[in-house]
Amino acid sequence: MRRLGQIDDYGGGQGPQPDVLVVTTNDVPGYRVQQVLGEVFGLTVRSRHIGSQIGAGLKSMIGGELKGLTKTLVQTRNQAMERLVEQARARGANGVLMFRFDVTEAADVGTEVCAYGTAVVLARE
């Protein structure tokens, strides 16, 4: 049986009743787009600490998941998504459509994660 903590460590996303609904689709069934507010994004750059780099190097020799790096990436993505939601909320949006992540290496010292999408005002049909 999995502990909830393990799910939280390796997952992400919104809770059941978000005030800003974030979806990867162009529309939301049961809603219409009342206003398009434009692109919003949340950006963060996370450096790797020396312990995880050494652990990853050792693990890469024998194979398997790099759990420390996985947890770090999940935390980084969640932080980027939180920043996206804060920006959308500040603009008066209650939804973000076409949500995506972009992940790149940042000068060999860390990982840059950008969460982006289109901020909208949704109205129930």
Side-chain angles (χ1 to χ4, degrees):
M1 178 181 228
R2 296 185 73 161
R3 293 182 308 111
L4 181 59
Q6 288 178 317
I7 293 169
D8 290 341
D9 287 345
Y10 297 106
Q14 295 185 293
Q17 299 293 324
D19 64 324
V20 176
L21 180 63
V22 178
V23 298
T24 60
T25 56
N26 292 327
D27 51 25
V28 179
Y31 291 84
R32 65 180 170 77
V33 176
Q34 194 171 40
Q35 184 179 3
V36 174
L37 301 173
E39 182 184 26
V40 289
F41 66 91
L43 180 67
T44 185
V45 178
R46 198 58 76 93
S47 66
R48 293 182 211 103
H49 62 78
I50 190 72
S52 71
Q53 287 178 321
I54 291 170
L58 293 172
K59 190 71 167 186
S60 69
M61 287 188 247
I62 59 171
E65 181 183 9
L66 305 173
K67 290 185 179 183
L69 292 178
T70 300
K71 283 183 182 181
T72 299
L73 184 55
V74 167
Q75 292 167 350
T76 304
R77 283 180 171 222
N78 288 343
Q79 184 177 46
M81 185 173 180
E82 288 169 10
R83 290 178 178 176
L84 168 124
V85 169
E86 287 172 13
Q87 189 180 70
R89 188 181 296 119
R91 289 191 183 184
N94 66 349
V96 175
L97 304 179
M98 295 299 295
F99 171 71
R100 301 285 186 269
F101 281 114
D102 187 32
V103 181
T104 58
E105 288 297 313
D108 275 346
V109 296
T111 303
E112 173 190 333
V113 174
C114 181
Y116 62 96
T118 303
V120 297
V121 176
L122 296 170
R124 280 203 178 270
E125 292 182 329

